[in-house]
Amino acid sequence: MAEICLDTKVSKDQNFIKTNMKNICNRSIAFIGIVAVWQIMSLHYNNELLLPSPIITIKEFFNCIVDVEVLKNMGITMGRVLRGFLLSLLFGLPLGFLMGYFRSVEKAMGGIIDALRQIPVMAWVPLTIVWFGIGDGPTLFLIAFSGVFPVILNTLEGVKGISSDYYNAARSMGASRFSLFKDVTLPAVIPDILTGARISISTGWMSVI
């Protein structure tokens, strides 16, 4: 019996290694193919301004990451993205929970949120400059605005996706509303919140101006 279990474990490990090696090979081939096409196109255009070669791009990349001014500006940008991301969580999580818990809130806010999230981020630029002036204000607003909707929608779907059996079981054991939220809702929604946060911070990067 022990030998069978050992053989099964070895077989699973071998399959896992083979799968990883296959994935690495496929990604390496794809990467080499992209670089090859890039190099061919750069030779075709023969214009560093239009399409620099991979070697030139790599050299400039390393020059940038050791440039103090570039690193300083990257730090400023990362700080803005982080602050905007935190703002999106600050507004998105409570609203997502409220919409998930109360049908009336979802009906009241659902249409507004669906309408607002269809508007391109760049369309808000003139208004944000008028509202917040020149500085960090417009950037923070745009980052938070683009990132708040994934947080709201994922939190909403997470709350709505919890089976009522869990609530009924907790209530049968005398759980209060706070206990229901702390011990049932929150643990069940965390995966959805993390998904929304991941999408939010990626959209925040794309919204940096």
Side-chain angles (χ1 to χ4, degrees), residues 147-209:
V148 73
F149 299 112
V151 176
I152 293 173
L153 296 177
N154 278 275
T155 305
L156 166 63
E157 291 303 318
V159 174
K160 291 176 65 177
I162 301 173
S163 174
S164 59
D165 293 338
Y166 294 112
Y167 292 113
N168 294 332
R171 289 192 186 99
S172 68
M173 292 183 286
S176 62
R177 286 192 175 184
F178 179 74
S179 296
L180 287 174
F181 176 79
K182 178 175 66 74
D183 299 322
V184 178
T185 305
L186 192 58
V189 178
I190 283 178
D192 297 278
I193 292 175
L194 293 177
T195 301
R198 179 175 58 83
I199 299 172
S200 175
I201 199 165
S202 65
T203 55
W205 273 111
M206 291 188 290
S207 304
V208 175
I209 298 175

Side-chain angles (χ1 to χ4, degrees), residues 97-119:
F97 277 113
L98 288 173
M99 292 175 67
Y101 266 122
F102 304 106
R103 185 77 173 174
S104 57
V105 178
E106 183 184 2
K107 288 182 178 180
M109 299 299 299
I112 298 173
I113 290 174
D114 285 337
L116 289 176
R117 71 190 184 93
Q118 305 301 326
I119 302 174

Side-chain angles (χ1 to χ4, degrees), residues 34-84:
I34 292 171
V35 173
V37 172
W38 182 0
Q39 178 64 36
I40 292 170
M41 295 302 295
S42 67
L43 292 174
H44 172 73
Y45 287 108
N46 195 26
N47 187 333
E48 293 184 4
L49 182 62
L50 183 62
L51 185 63
S53 67
I55 295 175
I56 293 175
T57 303
I58 292 172
K59 287 181 180 178
E60 291 302 320
F61 172 76
F62 282 106
N63 289 336
C64 287
I65 62 176
V66 296
D67 190 309
V68 176
E69 192 65 26
V70 172
L71 294 176
K72 179 182 176 182
N73 291 328
M74 285 180 61
I76 294 173
T77 301
M78 291 177 67
R80 289 173 176 170
V81 172
L82 181 60
R83 282 184 287 167

